[in-house]
Amino acid sequence: MAYRLEITQGDWPAEEFAKGVEGLLAESMVLTLATAAPESGPHANLAFFAHDEDLVLYFVSERSTRHSRYLAAEARAAATVFLPPPVFGEQLRGVQLTGSAGEARGRRAAAALAAYRRRYPAFAQDPEVRHQFLTGAGVAALYRFQVEELTAVDEPHFGRRNYLRAAVLRG
């Protein structure tokens, strides 16, 4: 783990909290990404994602999409990852994330591709497709979401309605 959590709300050991968050991320394959633009307002979309040991999330999108255009203008973003509860209102499990996001370029594109391929081994197997993602030559790009703050609820592990909030510290 190349980051640590500084608990800002709730009472839970930070290392256990981090393991719980990583478990939630590992169990879900899709995030909801929220972006906004001053002239158009908020927008949400779904994306398959991967994450790394530094709590950076990666997703793939075409540059022409609304959320990609919004991120090009304003890097601030929010996301949620959740698991459907077995019963309405019970055993809630999910995490809300805030941070900055944008297209991964250079070394960051290589890290994004590696993380994405660890999770989805069939992704970008074709050498030309890999080259396009690494050089930014295609219509789609790898995006990087660096989590700065998060709120998690994992009722089976943290207790009922125990919302824990933390800042993500790196370096």
Side-chain angles (χ1 to χ4, degrees):
M1 188 179 331
Y3 69 95
R4 69 182 178 85
L5 296 180
E6 180 179 285
I7 307 287
T8 57
Q9 176 183 310
D11 184 23
W12 205 263
E15 192 169 306
E16 284 183 44
F17 182 35
K19 287 180 185 176
V21 167
E22 289 175 9
L24 288 166
L25 295 175
E27 287 185 59
S28 181
M29 294 173 50
V30 177
L31 62 75
T32 302
L33 179 72
T35 57
E39 70 285 352
S40 305
H43 173 69
N45 75 288
L46 299 175
F48 287 97
F49 77 96
H51 69 285
D52 66 15
E53 67 282 347
D54 202 27
L55 201 59
V56 175
L57 281 59
Y58 302 98
F59 61 94
V60 175
S61 188
E62 291 187 7
R63 291 181 187 92
S64 63
T65 62
R66 184 189 297 182
H67 55 274
S68 293
R69 291 191 322 269
Y70 286 5
L71 288 174
E74 172 59 58
R76 299 290 303 155
T80 61
V81 173
F82 69 95
L83 299 164
V87 177
F88 173 78
E90 299 297 325
Q91 298 182 29
L92 301 177
R93 299 181 72 206
V95 61
Q96 301 164 357
L97 311 157
T98 59
S100 58
E103 189 173 331
R105 295 189 174 108
R107 287 182 299 118
R108 289 181 169 179
L113 183 62
Y116 214 77
R117 292 198 64 201
R118 273 192 302 275
R119 185 146 205 201
Y120 308 107
F123 178 76
Q125 285 188 356
D126 179 271
E128 178 57 31
V129 172
R130 275 196 309 276
H131 177 74
Q132 288 179 3
F133 278 111
L134 291 173
T135 61
V139 295
L142 290 156
Y143 286 79
R144 176 180 198 279
F145 182 102
Q146 182 163 313
V147 180
E148 296 167 5
E149 185 177 72
L150 59 88
T151 302
V153 59
D154 188 345
E155 291 183 346
H157 296 104
F158 304 145
R160 184 167 170 77
R161 303 299 192 262
N162 190 12
Y163 292 87
L164 303 173
R165 180 171 294 143
V168 180
L169 306 176
R170 296 176 179 84

